[in-house]
Amino acid sequence: MKVVPSKSSEWMRPVASQKPAFAIIEIDRVSQVFQTSARKDHLALSDISLTIEEGAFVSILGPSGCGKSTLLYIVGGFVSPTSGAAKMKGRAIMGPGPDRGPVFQEFALFPWKTVLGNVMYGPRQQGVRATEAEAQSRALIEMVGLKGYENFYPKELSGGMKQRVALARTLAYHPEVLLMDEPFGALDAHTRTRLQNDLLNIWERDRKTVLFVTHSVDEAVFLSDKVVMMSKSPGRIREVIDIDLPRPRLRNELLLDPRYQKYVVDIERMFDESDAAGAPS
Amino acid sequence: MKVVPSKSSEWMRPVASQKPAFAIIEIDRVSQVFQTSARKDHLALSDISLTIEEGAFVSILGPSGCGKSTLLYIVGGFVSPTSGAAKMKGRAIMGPGPDRGPVFQEFALFPWKTVLGNVMYGPRQQGVRATEAEAQSRALIEMVGLKGYENFYPKELSGGMKQRVALARTLAYHPEVLLMDEPFGALDAHTRTRLQNDLLNIWERDRKTVLFVTHSVDEAVFLSDKVVMMSKSPGRIREVIDIDLPRPRLRNELLLDPRYQKYVVDIERMFDESDAAGAPS
Amino acid sequence: MSRILSPSLVVGLVPIMLVIALWQALVSFGFAPAVLLPPPGFVFGRLLQQLVTWTFQQEIAATLVRLFAGFAIAVVLGVGIGIAAAVNPATNAVVRPIVRVLAPLPKVALYPALLLLLGFGHGSKITLVAADALFPILLSTYYGASTVEQKLIWSAMAAGTPRYEILFKVVLPAAMPSILTGCRIGLVISCIVVFLAEMITSTDGLGHALVTAARTFQAVDMFVPLITISLLGLILNALLGALRSYLLRGFPEA
Amino acid sequence: MIAPATIVRRAAPVLACIGLLTAWQLASLGLKNDSFPTALEAVRAIPDILGDKESLINILASLRRMAIGFGIAVLVSIPLGLLMGRSRAVASFFNPLLMVIYPVPKAALMPIIMLWLGVGEATKILVIFLGVSLPVIYHSFEGAKAVEEKMLWSGAAMGLSPWQRLVRIVLPAALPEILTGCRTGLVLALITMITSEMIARQSGAGNILFNALDMGQYDTVYAMIIIVGAMGICLDAIFERVRAGLVRWSEPQFDMPLSFS
Amino acid sequence: QQTIRVGWTIPAEESKYWMMRRPAEFPDIGKTYNIEWTQFQGTAPMTQALAAGALDCATQAPLSLANGVVGGNLKAYIVAQHVFEKPGGFSVYWAVMDDSPIKTIADLKGKTVGISVIGGGTQGPFNLLLKQNGVDPAKDIKLVEVGFAVSEDALRQGRVDAVNMNQPFAARAEAKGGTRKLFSLSQAMPNIVHILEACRADFVDKNPELVKAYVRDITSGMKKALANREETLKVVNEVLKAPLPVLETYLLKDNDFGRDPGAAPNFPAIQKMLDIYAETGMLPKLDVAQFKHPTIVAPLQ
Ligand SMILES: Nc1ncnc2c1ncn2[C@@H]1O[C@H](COP(=O)(O)OP(=O)(O)OP(=O)(O)O)[C@@H](O)[C@H]1O
Ligand SMILES: Nc1ncnc2c1ncn2[C@@H]1O[C@H](COP(=O)(O)OP(=O)(O)OP(=O)(O)O)[C@@H](O)[C@H]1O
Ligand SMILES: [Mg+2]
Ligand SMILES: [Mg+2]
């Protein structure tokens, strides 16, 4: 499968909710307690239950520190929850696997590899031939706007550039489920918009499932089938909102769509309420 | 000077341009070349000249990788430019000093200190007595919404929490000039808005000069007296826009103000043009 | 504390038990004559006997004084020079080549000269221990200090920390993981060297007890100092581990 | 055209050596002590050693042992250290054991080592092996511990097995620290190369040194020390080249800004 | 062709040095049998090596050998002798500085005295002499270990008040002057045996011919060493790497130890030493007969 970067999105796709809903990821009453150095137990996630259907684009919104990253780690299989269980395709998640590709908030690039080396790492690991892996990787690097930086080491990149390499690295090995932790957080508005489109494009073509953490309500509504709102720590699910907007979504059209506006305003209002209710711990 | 956190802003301040303009920071034809491991020279900043007046709030906008952080490093005195010079109050910047406080994009918290220890570091260094420093620091920690996390170590914090500690750590020692590199990048919309208000509040009361890197056009227009737009690498200054909006600025009022809208739309348009013109390198 | 320690303590004791079992097996199945390798039971029995005697306690005290004095000097010099060389180009230019030359020298060869300069008492032995333990500590410190994250130093400088204080407030704590590794290596070397020095020329100390026993084939008495130093290693390891997890409690790897 | 700074840097080792020799010369003149000859006397004895074919064979024999001991130590210690760093169980299994075994002076165990390994090469290689493995194990251990967890998670998510992660992520990520261990190991290899020949010897650099020491030929002793020092510089320089090539990605981007000068 | 593993040390085994450096002079070496030479630091480690079976034959001092027998279950034969003290020749002595107030052994009370190896071969006669002069070696003096090589310096630096001297260091110190002999071991016993050659009994019993050839060569080596001083000096110089002029001052001269022309062990003298060690409490009583092999003992032709 070759990744062809494209700027606009001239494809058609049935609206997600019309597909037969098959739960690819099930999170069942998951709680996570961290031991802190101060020898106190810290409850990061409390009793989270969530079902994600195959091919769905689900965003997670929530105040800083509410446990979004932790939830992603649990789905990724990197951390096993203190109680409760996470399942993928009906089977308990026992550890990481190439079916779930994470994009970490802190990038976690391999510092001893160049940009190209980082992006090629996944495909090579999956057994793709070197020449092919390189061609694919170069295409992805170009897509994230880093053409010309193939031979730079991570320490020589700016924050946003590192973030884009991390994105490309994960996309390169085509995981079935993408676990993205604020993947566009360090990008300027323009680059962000372009990558949002590219991501939607890939998502559509490859029928991926995406779990997407973001702080931008706009972004969540624009991209998602479903927005999960979490409340302040200990992290709980406050609300799950189905975004019933037609696809393909074109940014310019959507901005004028009153339904889109309403979703954004509603969600923002909910945030304000949540803050008023739950006092900062 | 004691920091009193406040949520709304009921203060009066003359509009910046009415003050006698005294150039606190002058950047004079600065270029920065990096040596990359690939043994190629990489031009990160090209011929940047910029004057920042005392007490001004200046935002820098620009595509990812255009050299914003590098420019901040030069003003901070951490990196000396390959050519050109930066001056503070008429004197060449030779190194870092407590008059210019940075908030780094990567936070750079001291891993061996707790949240409180990190925030107290600056005041203690400035000779503030321990009890007083602690009281101030606790107030700041509460302001950034981290009350209860005083004894956590950085590794036990989420991304956004670390960012807020970094912000508090710098605010704690009252630098004259704040050099902030996407200080709200990892925060949710709500926390972000609150901290924007708090920052404006502090800025006004202490008559600070702020150099503020952001990716959010909204944020730049809302906060700044002046927005500097940079173009794609090698970083150059494309445009400097004076934001002529009355202060104090209240978010709710401003959102309805057509001048504000125009600034945002204009700047966004400029971004699009810049991308169309300068092909991605 | 006990929650963390106990399982790993058990796991840690297993191999030591295995070694003792192997030792017993070697003796029992005649792979080594008892006159060269006495059965462990004998050795531990004698050790318990010896531990309560005043003379043996004095031997241990003499060895410990030399060990810790030498090691302490090595730590102070090694960490000090290592950090200075890492942060200051001028010091670096001087220290680097000198270390390159001096580090690989077999310090025992200097021992006769040290004996004459410092006498037959503690001085010469402490110096030898310090000289041998110094370089591993210095090299580790240098590595740790020269890879400190730049922005940590920048943050401290911007907060108004004077340059020399940055050494103590940023470089030292940030380099601590590496320094502690160096100290662990230096400590082991100190144990070896203090014994060596006492074996070459001494009138007291565990090393001396060992050679005199070895010369007269008192195998059990020879193994008592060896076991003592092994146990000492175990104790020091535990102390170092505790110190490490205290000092590095903020670091992700702790 | 060479910049003055480069000249200073190139000349620094030479200057340092001259400085050391001068300090030594002055000290020995001041002490007037037979067992501490002047630097000049020692330097004068160097050609005698290097001119003698037998001595050269001796020195080469030592270097060969050192190379073997160092090689085996590195091959064994790095995997062990990395495993200890990544697995709490392995660490708590080996750590106390190592701390019990290493402090025991090998010289004291000679009678038993001789019993199984004789008095020849094997014993000396074992001693060198133990000397080198100590820092390599512990630096690999610490290096592996400090590897950023999320890097390993990324690898796991790409389908790397635990062993592959150890080799392809932990090893490169910890390489700078491992190489520091190897560098200390190199220093200790040279030292143990000599001291392994203290008690029993057939041929080797230590043979020359300890014979001279026994005979009170102090100029030869110190000449030998100088020769070992010189070997140290050469090996270190070679090692530095290899290291620089392997871990260029980890070099700090900016110079340490703390010069007091 | 069989190999015999031999331990040796420096500085006074001229016949073995000849065998090492001039093997062509010995018809059997390298032809009917081979020698694997290993040099040791002192005789005690060689005793351990013998006991561990890592060596077949080695240089030994009477005390170390006896220690091996008593403590290490070692069974060995004394097959030859290297050097001993002969009347009129060199005897290991304790020196003081010329201007030292110490005039007699009794004056050593309360002083710091150097000895090459505490509990070593010289300590028996040394203790005996002290006791005879009313000095308790355990309480009245402070004994420190000072190797022969640094004796002179330690004395001149004032690190010790008296110290033992051995060749070639004694010759060197005397040439320089400023020191004086306080007493020598010959005062305790006239014909002390310093080092001899011992072979493991089981090895000898298994390879009698081999050891015979070895002992034969030691005998002939001793002959050659005594017959050709010029060449011996060269050989010793090659082994010790000590400059010829230094060796010239003492080696095989009157101020050197004695050497038996046939390298024959002096069993009565050895017995006497064992008795002294027993008397001073360093060893239980031993009979030298157990070290005697009926046939394999120097001189062998
Ligand atoms: N190793 C740890 N030890 C103790 N507490 C931890 C640890 N890791 C995370 N936490 C706590 O768990 C909570 C959730 O952290 P998490 O990183 O999941 O937040 P988040 O929602 O991703 O926040 P952000 O948007 O700021 O990234 C936080 O309160 C944090 O302090
Ligand atoms: N140490 C370095 N070596 C080589 N190139 C570097 C180095 N540091 C930065 N650069 C390059 O300099 C340019 C500017 O980097 P900088 O970090 O200033 O960007 P930025 O504007 O802050 O981007 P972002 O918004 O993504 O943080 C980038 O192209 C980067 O690749
Ligand atoms: Mg997070
Ligand atoms: Mg940046």
Side-chain angles (χ1 to χ4, degrees):
Chain A
M1 227 174 282
K2 201 156 162 263
V3 174
V4 184
S6 80
K7 297 239 165 161
S8 60
S9 20
E10 284 105 352
W11 29 259
M12 282 298 291
R13 184 186 180 271
V15 175
S17 54
Q18 296 173 345
K19 282 205 307 173
F22 168 70
I24 188 165
I25 287 171
E26 288 155 286
I27 301 168
D28 187 22
R29 277 168 294 151
V30 155
S31 296
Q32 178 69 46
V33 177
F34 283 113
Q35 283 243 310
T36 69
S37 306
R39 307 226 171 283
K40 280 198 309 185
D41 285 353
H42 183 73
L43 183 62
L45 286 179
S46 168
D47 203 31
I48 301 271
S49 295
L50 184 67
T51 305
I52 296 168
E53 279 138 33
E54 184 160 23
F57 198 120
V58 177
S59 290
I60 303 181
L61 277 172
S64 160
C66 72
K68 305 179 291 296
S69 302
T70 308
L71 187 61
L72 241 55
Y73 298 161
I74 289 172
V75 175
F78 311 122
V79 168
S80 41
T82 320
S83 71
K87 287 189 200 156
M88 164 127 181
K89 292 187 176 165
R91 271 195 286 170
I93 292 173
M94 300 302 288
D99 47 351
R100 282 149 294 141
V103 181
F104 290 112
Q105 200 172 2
E106 306 89 348
F107 323 144
L109 300 179
F110 302 132
W112 60 93
K113 289 202 171 277
T114 59
V115 169
L116 183 61
N118 266 285
V119 179
M120 273 177 68
Y121 200 92
R124 290 294 288 146
Q125 189 56 37
Q126 309 282 307
V128 178
R129 269 189 307 115
T131 47
E132 197 177 327
E134 183 171 335
Q136 281 182 20
S137 302
R138 284 188 187 275
L140 269 169
I141 291 170
E142 182 164 358
M143 178 185 106
V144 298
L146 289 177
K147 196 171 153 68
Y149 293 97
E150 287 87 351
N151 295 322
F152 277 52
Y153 282 99
K155 66 168 182 183
E156 295 160 347
L157 301 178
S158 78
M161 291 158 93
K162 280 185 231 176
Q163 192 166 42
R164 286 179 277 161
V165 177
L167 178 69
R169 182 177 65 171
T170 303
L171 292 179
Y173 61 92
H174 307 295
E176 234 179 302
V177 179
L178 283 169
L179 306 171
M180 310 176 94
D181 202 347
E182 302 181 39
F184 304 142
L187 302 181
D188 59 290
H190 188 82
T191 313
R192 191 172 185 136
T193 311
R194 240 190 39 215
L195 286 177
Q196 282 170 357
N197 287 333
D198 288 330
L199 177 64
L200 274 185
N201 199 351
I202 291 170
W203 171 68
E204 163 56 15
R205 209 189 30 236
D206 300 353
R207 313 233 147 227
K208 284 196 196 313
T209 310
V210 181
L211 193 53
F212 189 94
V213 172
T214 179
H215 284 316
S216 160
V217 179
D218 274 19
E219 187 172 74
V221 174
F222 173 60
L223 293 172
S224 316
D225 297 323
K226 219 185 218 179
V227 173
V228 176
M229 285 191 60
M230 290 179 69
S231 65
K232 202 140 191 167
S233 99
R236 281 179 228 273
I237 292 185
R238 232 177 86 80
E239 196 88 47
V240 180
I241 300 138
D242 281 309
I243 305 292
D244 209 355
L245 291 171
R247 291 188 188 265
R249 298 182 186 159
L250 294 177
R251 178 164 281 275
N252 296 346
E253 288 172 18
L254 217 57
L255 281 176
L256 303 174
D257 190 326
R259 283 177 300 173
Y260 169 82
Q261 301 283 13
K262 188 167 160 21
Y263 278 124
V264 172
V265 172
D266 281 357
I267 291 174
E268 271 173 0
R269 170 135 15 90
M270 270 189 252
F271 253 118
D272 290 352
E273 280 165 24
S274 96
D275 191 61
S281 75
Chain B
M1 228 174 280
K2 202 155 159 266
V3 174
V4 184
S6 80
K7 296 239 163 161
S8 61
S9 19
E10 285 103 348
W11 30 257
M12 283 298 294
R13 181 184 183 273
V15 175
S17 54
Q18 295 172 349
K19 284 204 310 175
F22 167 70
I24 188 167
I25 286 171
E26 289 156 286
I27 300 167
D28 187 22
R29 274 169 294 151
V30 156
S31 296
Q32 179 68 44
V33 176
F34 284 114
Q35 284 244 312
T36 68
S37 304
R39 305 228 169 284
K40 279 199 309 189
D41 285 354
H42 182 74
L43 185 61
L45 286 178
S46 168
D47 204 29
I48 301 274
S49 296
L50 182 67
T51 304
I52 296 167
E53 279 138 33
E54 185 159 24
F57 198 120
V58 177
S59 289
I60 304 180
L61 277 172
S64 162
C66 72
K68 304 179 293 296
S69 301
T70 308
L71 186 62
L72 242 56
Y73 296 162
I74 289 171
V75 177
F78 310 122
V79 169
S80 41
T82 318
S83 72
K87 285 188 200 160
M88 163 124 182
K89 292 187 174 164
R91 272 196 286 172
I93 291 171
M94 300 302 287
D99 47 351
R100 283 151 292 139
V103 180
F104 292 113
Q105 201 171 1
E106 307 88 347
F107 324 143
L109 300 179
F110 301 129
W112 59 91
K113 285 189 180 286
T114 59
V115 168
L116 183 63
N118 266 285
V119 179
M120 272 177 68
Y121 183 88
R124 290 294 290 146
Q125 205 53 54
Q126 307 283 305
V128 177
R129 269 188 308 115
T131 47
E132 197 177 329
E134 184 172 334
Q136 282 183 21
S137 301
R138 283 186 187 275
L140 267 169
I141 290 170
E142 184 166 358
M143 177 185 107
V144 298
L146 288 177
K147 194 170 155 69
Y149 293 96
E150 287 87 351
N151 295 321
F152 277 51
Y153 283 97
K155 68 170 175 185
E156 296 159 348
L157 302 178
S158 78
M161 290 159 92
K162 281 186 231 177
Q163 191 166 43
R164 287 179 276 160
V165 177
L167 177 69
R169 180 177 66 173
T170 303
L171 291 179
Y173 60 90
H174 308 295
E176 235 177 300
V177 179
L178 281 169
L179 306 170
M180 309 175 96
D181 202 346
E182 304 179 39
F184 304 142
L187 302 181
D188 58 289
H190 188 83
T191 313
R192 192 173 184 136
T193 311
R194 242 190 40 214
L195 286 178
Q196 282 172 357
N197 286 333
D198 288 331
L199 178 63
L200 274 184
N201 197 351
I202 291 169
W203 169 67
E204 163 55 16
R205 209 192 28 238
D206 300 352
R207 313 236 149 226
K208 286 195 193 315
T209 310
V210 180
L211 194 53
F212 190 95
V213 172
T214 179
H215 283 316
S216 158
V217 179
D218 274 19
E219 187 172 72
V221 174
F222 173 61
L223 294 171
S224 318
D225 297 323
K226 219 186 217 178
V227 172
V228 178
M229 285 190 59
M230 290 179 67
S231 65
K232 202 137 191 166
S233 96
R236 284 178 224 275
I237 292 184
R238 230 179 87 80
E239 196 87 48
V240 179
I241 300 138
D242 280 310
I243 305 294
D244 211 353
L245 292 171
R247 288 187 190 266
R249 299 182 185 160
L250 295 178
R251 178 164 282 274
N252 296 345
E253 288 173 19
L254 217 59
L255 281 177
L256 303 172
D257 191 325
R259 283 178 300 174
Y260 169 80
Q261 301 284 12
K262 190 169 157 23
Y263 279 125
V264 173
V265 172
D266 281 358
I267 291 174
E268 273 175 356
R269 172 137 10 90
M270 269 189 252
F271 254 117
D272 289 352
E273 279 166 23
S274 96
D275 190 62
S281 74
Chain C
M1 196 73 190
S2 62
R3 214 174 5 159
I4 304 164
L5 268 182
S6 50
S8 66
L9 200 69
V10 173
V11 177
L13 284 178
V14 169
I16 294 174
M17 291 302 162
L18 285 179
V19 167
I20 295 174
L22 176 73
W23 174 3
Q24 180 66 52
L26 285 174
V27 181
S28 304
F29 296 109
F31 289 105
V35 289
L36 289 180
L37 189 66
F42 273 40
V43 175
F44 284 105
R46 176 66 64 91
L47 175 65
L48 289 182
Q49 241 174 29
Q50 292 270 53
L51 274 180
V52 295
T53 64
W54 173 237
T55 41
F56 192 69
Q57 287 166 0
Q58 273 186 313
E59 310 276 24
I60 295 184
T63 301
L64 286 186
V65 165
R66 292 164 188 159
L67 173 67
F68 286 120
F71 176 64
I73 295 172
V75 169
V76 170
L77 287 180
V79 172
I81 299 173
I83 287 187
V87 300
N88 182 321
T91 318
N92 193 345
V94 178
V95 167
R96 223 180 145 97
I98 292 182
V99 168
R100 276 190 172 181
V101 180
L102 294 186
L105 300 186
K107 317 289 181 304
V108 236
L110 306 177
Y111 190 46
L114 287 179
L115 282 176
L116 292 172
L117 291 178
L118 303 169
F120 294 93
H122 289 323
S124 52
K125 294 176 183 66
I126 290 173
T127 311
L128 189 68
V129 170
D132 262 315
L134 171 66
F135 291 100
I137 300 176
L138 198 159
L139 289 173
S140 307
T141 306
Y142 176 75
Y143 164 77
S146 53
T147 51
V148 172
E149 166 65 44
Q150 290 287 328
K151 287 181 185 104
L152 295 182
I153 295 176
W154 292 356
S155 297
M157 288 173 107
T161 318
R163 292 181 178 225
Y164 66 90
E165 269 185 38
I166 287 197
L167 297 186
F168 301 100
K169 297 206 160 143
V170 182
V171 181
L172 186 67
M176 197 48 84
S178 200
I179 292 176
L180 288 176
T181 307
C183 286
R184 168 168 262 155
I185 295 162
L187 194 56
V188 172
I189 290 179
S190 303
C191 288
I192 298 175
V193 172
V194 76
F195 251 64
L196 204 61
E198 288 177 349
M199 284 168 70
I200 294 173
T201 281
S202 186
T203 45
D204 55 358
L206 291 172
H208 179 71
L210 186 142
V211 262
T212 42
R215 277 181 201 141
T216 52
F217 281 85
Q218 312 276 302
V220 178
D221 284 334
M222 190 186 118
F223 271 82
V224 167
L226 287 184
I227 295 300
T228 313
I229 197 91
S230 269
L231 289 179
L232 194 66
L234 207 57
I235 295 168
L236 291 177
N237 181 47
L239 289 179
L240 210 64
L243 180 73
R244 195 178 173 286
S245 44
Y246 173 73
L247 285 178
L248 301 190
R249 61 200 181 284
F251 288 77
E253 68 255 37
Chain D
M1 179 67 201
I2 306 166
T6 320
I7 296 175
V8 169
R9 210 178 51 239
R10 293 258 166 83
V14 180
L15 288 177
C17 291
I18 293 173
L20 277 178
L21 290 175
T22 314
W24 170 5
Q25 179 78 14
L26 294 177
S28 57
L29 284 178
L31 285 169
K32 290 208 193 72
N33 189 326
D34 276 353
S35 29
F36 192 45
T38 65
L40 270 182
E41 285 167 334
V43 170
R44 243 186 266 129
I46 294 178
D48 287 349
I49 298 178
L50 294 183
D52 185 11
K53 193 156 155 263
E54 198 184 324
S55 306
L56 284 181
I57 292 172
N58 268 324
I59 293 173
L60 285 180
S62 283
L63 284 175
R64 204 183 120 255
R65 274 197 289 271
M66 192 200 86
I68 296 173
F70 184 80
I72 300 176
V74 166
L75 287 181
V76 173
S77 314
I78 294 179
L80 177 61
L82 294 183
L83 268 177
M84 285 170 67
R86 285 323 310 174
S87 156
R88 213 175 255 275
V90 176
S92 35
F93 186 85
F94 280 105
N95 201 11
L97 181 67
L98 295 178
M99 282 303 275
V100 163
I101 290 177
Y102 274 115
V104 175
K106 265 55 74 184
L109 285 182
M110 266 308 177
I112 298 165
I113 299 177
M114 282 188 302
L115 192 64
W116 296 310
L117 297 180
V119 287
E121 294 286 291
T123 306
K124 280 163 216 147
I125 290 174
L126 176 72
V127 172
I128 296 172
F129 167 84
L130 288 172
V132 177
S133 58
L134 171 69
V136 180
I137 289 180
Y138 279 111
H139 275 282
S140 309
F141 179 24
E142 296 298 331
K145 243 187 189 174
V147 173
E148 199 195 325
E149 196 117 70
K150 277 165 197 125
M151 241 145 64
L152 289 163
W153 292 358
S154 297
M158 290 175 194
L160 272 78
S161 70
W163 289 105
Q164 283 179 317
R165 267 177 271 160
L166 197 70
V167 176
R168 298 188 47 193
I169 296 181
V170 179
L171 178 65
L175 199 59
E177 175 108 34
I178 293 173
L179 289 177
T180 307
C182 290
R183 186 164 181 202
T184 310
L186 196 63
V187 164
L188 289 178
L190 277 165
I191 295 177
T192 46
M193 169 186 98
I194 300 290
T195 50
S196 68
E197 294 169 36
M198 191 160 90
I199 289 179
R201 47 190 180 258
Q202 280 161 337
S203 63
N207 189 16
I208 304 173
L209 188 143
F210 288 110
N211 262 355
L213 207 54
D214 283 352
M215 293 307 298
Q217 299 295 316
Y218 291 102
D219 50 351
T220 308
V221 172
Y222 283 83
M224 205 55 220
I225 288 180
I226 295 177
I227 291 172
V228 175
M231 292 197 291
I233 301 180
C234 295
L235 287 176
D236 203 54
I238 296 170
F239 184 83
E240 183 55 33
R241 292 235 151 163
V242 175
R243 196 196 66 83
L246 285 176
V247 297
R248 205 171 39 204
W249 54 268
S250 76
E251 298 292 290
Q253 299 165 63
F254 307 101
D255 286 335
M256 279 268 184
L258 288 176
S259 186
F260 303 117
S261 46
Chain E
Q1 210 186 24
Q2 280 174 298
T3 299
I4 177 167
R5 294 168 299 169
V6 175
W8 60 283
T9 180
I10 52 176
E13 300 160 24
E14 288 74 18
S15 77
K16 279 160 96 174
Y17 302 160
W18 266 82
M19 291 159 74
M20 260 187 281
R21 312 303 304 202
R22 302 286 184 273
E25 304 260 336
F26 300 82
D28 288 346
I29 298 180
K31 293 175 189 74
T32 61
Y33 77 101
N34 265 328
I35 304 180
E36 190 186 305
W37 299 100
T38 306
Q39 188 187 354
F40 280 80
Q41 189 90 342
T43 54
M46 279 190 279
T47 319
Q48 292 168 341
L50 282 174
L55 287 180
D56 303 319
C57 295
T59 312
Q60 288 288 280
L63 178 68
S64 52
L65 184 62
N67 271 328
V69 169
V70 173
N73 271 348
L74 177 65
K75 301 227 170 356
Y77 297 122
I78 296 173
V79 296
Q81 176 173 312
H82 296 289
V83 293
F84 59 97
E85 292 188 1
K86 64 169 189 238
F90 184 77
S91 173
V92 171
Y93 67 84
W94 265 256
V96 294
M97 291 306 291
D98 264 342
D99 50 8
S100 163
I102 302 169
K103 306 281 186 230
T104 66
I105 297 181
D107 293 341
L108 284 176
K109 263 194 189 154
K111 299 286 191 249
T112 304
V113 181
I115 187 166
S116 64
V117 177
I118 292 180
T122 53
Q123 203 174 352
F126 171 77
N127 283 359
L128 198 67
L129 276 172
L130 291 192
K131 272 187 193 156
Q132 283 166 1
N133 288 275
V135 181
D136 185 339
K139 292 195 194 109
D140 293 343
I141 57 167
K142 184 166 184 285
L143 210 54
V144 293
E145 263 188 8
V146 183
F148 286 122
V150 283
S151 300
E152 183 192 343
D153 271 333
L155 185 63
R156 291 190 198 277
Q157 295 263 311
R159 293 278 166 210
V160 287
D161 299 307
V163 75
N164 56 182
M165 289 289 205
N166 195 0
Q167 294 293 36
F169 312 106
R172 200 154 61 186
E174 284 156 22
K176 231 193 231 170
T179 65
R180 119 178 99 79
K181 186 190 287 189
L182 183 65
F183 65 93
S184 69
L185 289 184
S186 57
Q187 285 168 249
M189 180 184 155
N191 49 358
I192 286 180
V193 177
H194 280 294
I195 46 175
L196 39 80
E197 187 70 15
C199 295
R200 256 170 43 229
D202 57 331
F203 183 78
V204 178
D205 294 341
K206 220 157 94 204
N207 311 287
E209 288 312 310
L210 177 62
V211 180
K212 226 175 241 168
Y214 175 62
V215 175
R216 217 167 20 235
D217 283 338
I218 290 190
T219 310
S220 81
M222 185 62 94
K223 284 224 173 69
K224 290 179 211 291
L226 294 176
N228 189 351
R229 181 166 186 265
E230 280 308 298
E231 194 61 21
T232 304
L233 281 176
K234 272 191 216 151
V235 169
V236 174
N237 162 261
E238 284 171 27
V239 175
L240 268 53
K241 298 275 187 302
L244 279 171
V246 173
L247 297 176
E248 179 58 48
T249 57
Y250 76 98
L251 193 70
L252 299 183
K253 286 177 41 175
D254 283 344
N255 59 342
D256 197 0
F257 291 119
R259 285 165 183 80
D260 184 82
N266 183 350
F267 286 107
I270 297 170
Q271 179 69 61
K272 175 103 188 288
M273 293 183 69
L274 293 178
D275 293 343
I276 292 182
Y277 293 137
E279 202 177 315
T280 47
M282 295 169 75
L283 277 177
K285 239 181 145 26
L286 285 178
D287 185 358
V288 80
Q290 61 178 300
F291 298 113
K292 245 187 231 168
H293 190 278
T295 51
I296 304 175
V297 61
L300 280 183
Q301 302 302 335

